[in-house]
Amino acid sequence: MDDLKAKYLGQIAEAGDENALEAIRVAAVGKKGEVALKMRELGKMTPEERQVAGPALNALKEEINSALAAKKAALADAALDERLRTEWLDVTLPGRPRGQGTLHPVSQASEELTAIFAELGFSVAEGPRIETDWHNFDALNIPGHHPARAEMDTFYMHRAPGDNRPPHVLRTHTSPVQIRSMELQGAPIRVICPGGVYRADYDQTHTPMFHQVEGLAIDKDISMANLKWVLEEFVKAFFEVDDVELRFRASHFPFTEPSAEVDIRCSWEGGQLKIGEGDDWMEILGSGMVHPKVIAAGGIDPEVYQGFAFGIGIDRLAMLKYGIPDLRAFFDSDLRWLRHYGFAALDMPNLHGGLSR
Ligand code: 2NL
């Protein structure tokens, strides 16, 4: 019996894992283990022998069981120690940096010019991009036969078969938003309408969707002098120059009379654009005094009220301001060119969506 005890306690001490321990348990104190076999022999013993051997076997069984339990606990402790040693986590490590998005330059330009016109007393209006042909064309004194209405320039929406009403269009300018603003608000009114517009045109300098801001000011004695001052203030603020010279060239739009295209004095010396100095002129917008028919279409009496309007391409303004040479950059969805050109908005808090546009 002492041999048995020495054998199993020795094996238990040597056991390297729980599986080894279990094998020892089965062999020693299992139902068919060595201790059980010995117990079966008790029946053949004399009562005197049995009185000694019985308690001794029970004591041996208990000793082996408690040695097994102690070793099992020791193995678990060792395993935990090993995990604590190898699986530690440095909670003081800084987080992994995440890729950062930025405002699109067109959004940035749009927010900047909205803020500038707000200081000049203009509110902001938005409208649908799918328009009635009346709001997009008729109200703006663009007649049915005008080339702007040609299939080539305008995206027309489909009508259901048998529905013979005129089709809706993707707005070709934001002027219809101004018509809607006049309808809603009446006169006097000062409003700008920035947003995306659509024309069926695609080449190196035209994309089928681009962005425009139109402005409208109507009151009893608004004149072209007011238009000139507002545009000067806008150009100075937007391009961050102290002074600027504007040149009005006679032009023609169906919705204004008289109409003028506006150039700003600039220089391209060394390929670098400087605004407000030099001998070159750069066209930046179209404008004029709102045609009386357009004022009437907005539900305002043209005998009492008059006003100016203008339209500017935001995409080109953004390109000029941030030095982006290629229109296609706007459609790349790629931040590399933005970083390359040192776009200032990368360093600015995101104001987008904070403005009602
Ligand atoms: C351009 C520049 C322009 C307008 C847009 C306008 C809007 C209303 C009434 C009268 Cl509601 N005019 N917008 C005026 C002049 C120019 O856009 O180059 N357009 C083809």
Side-chain angles (χ1 to χ4, degrees):
M1 211 164 332
D2 283 346
D3 289 350
L4 271 188
K5 177 174 163 179
K7 172 171 137 191
Y8 285 117
L9 292 186
Q11 284 183 6
I12 290 168
E14 297 286 297
D17 57 32
E18 274 200 46
N19 289 339
L21 271 187
E22 178 62 9
I24 296 165
R25 189 190 66 77
V26 170
V29 295
K31 273 188 194 153
K32 293 175 184 168
E34 245 182 305
V35 174
L37 290 178
K38 289 267 181 231
M39 285 189 168
R40 252 171 251 168
E41 288 169 18
L42 290 174
K44 297 176 218 157
M45 293 181 188
T46 64
E48 290 75 22
E49 286 173 325
R50 202 183 300 138
Q51 250 174 17
V52 178
L57 277 173
N58 274 330
L60 174 62
K61 187 174 175 181
E62 253 171 56
E63 204 168 346
I64 291 175
N65 273 331
S66 64
L68 283 167
K71 181 68 179 185
K72 189 172 172 180
L75 283 175
D77 275 357
L80 183 60
D81 282 347
E82 176 68 6
R83 282 187 58 191
L84 288 173
R85 199 172 58 76
T86 56
E87 295 179 15
W88 60 279
L89 188 70
D90 185 352
V91 294
T92 67
L93 276 179
R96 293 189 186 92
R98 289 223 254 148
Q100 223 195 337
T102 76
L103 213 53
H104 194 282
V106 171
S107 302
Q108 177 71 24
S110 186
E111 289 189 359
E112 286 178 12
L113 63 85
T114 298
I116 294 166
F117 279 112
E119 292 228 357
L120 295 169
F122 288 77
S123 58
V124 188
E126 284 188 310
R129 295 194 183 204
I130 298 173
E131 266 294 1
T132 65
D133 72 337
W134 188 86
H135 283 96
N136 194 78
F137 293 125
D138 301 84
L140 286 149
N141 193 35
I142 303 171
H145 53 78
H146 195 276
R149 288 202 178 201
E151 204 78 46
M152 285 246 314
D153 294 329
T154 307
F155 290 109
Y156 287 89
M157 311 298 291
H158 281 295
R159 283 283 188 200
D163 185 341
N164 293 320
R165 290 175 297 170
H168 285 98
V169 300
L170 292 184
R171 69 182 184 197
T172 59
H173 39 202
T174 58
S175 323
V177 186
Q178 292 172 301
I179 299 294
R180 291 174 180 279
S181 299
M182 285 192 272
E183 287 173 333
L184 278 171
Q185 188 183 321
I189 184 170
R190 272 184 285 182
V191 70
I192 61 160
C193 306
V197 299
Y198 301 82
R199 290 186 201 169
D201 209 352
Y202 189 38
D203 59 35
Q204 276 171 339
T205 53
H206 297 86
T207 51
M209 195 276 300
F210 58 102
H211 301 84
Q212 211 200 10
V213 58
E214 290 211 1
L216 176 73
I218 289 181
D219 207 334
K220 288 187 173 152
D221 48 14
I222 297 274
S223 74
M224 268 187 116
N226 302 127
L227 169 66
K228 185 161 186 275
W229 181 83
V230 163
L231 292 178
E232 277 169 1
E233 290 305 304
F234 165 69
V235 169
K236 283 193 285 185
F238 185 80
F239 290 109
E240 295 167 11
V241 291
D242 290 332
D243 217 352
V244 72
E245 198 180 335
L246 298 189
R247 180 174 79 175
F248 279 58
R249 270 182 298 109
S251 184
H252 173 265
F253 304 112
F255 25 85
T256 46
E257 181 58 37
S259 304
E261 280 170 310
V262 177
D263 305 334
I264 50 180
R265 184 182 284 284
C266 67
S267 111
W268 282 103
E269 239 173 65
Q272 176 99 30
L273 172 65
K274 287 213 181 78
I275 284 166
E277 54 187 83
D279 299 320
D280 285 330
W281 294 95
M282 181 172 56
E283 183 189 328
I284 55 156
L285 60 92
S287 64
M289 295 301 290
V290 182
H291 196 290
K293 283 190 184 172
V294 177
I295 293 183
I300 296 171
D301 185 354
E303 298 291 338
V304 181
Y305 288 99
Q306 60 184 30
F308 66 72
F310 57 86
I312 316 176
I314 301 179
D315 310 73
R316 210 170 74 92
L317 276 190
M319 291 170 76
L320 290 171
K321 176 156 185 175
Y322 308 124
I324 300 161
D326 188 336
L327 184 66
R328 283 167 292 192
F330 288 145
F331 302 92
D332 280 352
S333 302
D334 189 334
L335 286 176
R336 280 174 297 182
W337 61 270
L338 270 184
R339 303 222 153 85
H340 176 76
Y341 292 114
F343 183 35
L346 288 171
D347 309 320
M348 293 178 187
N350 187 339
L351 307 171
H352 206 46
L355 284 175
S356 57
R357 287 190 317 105

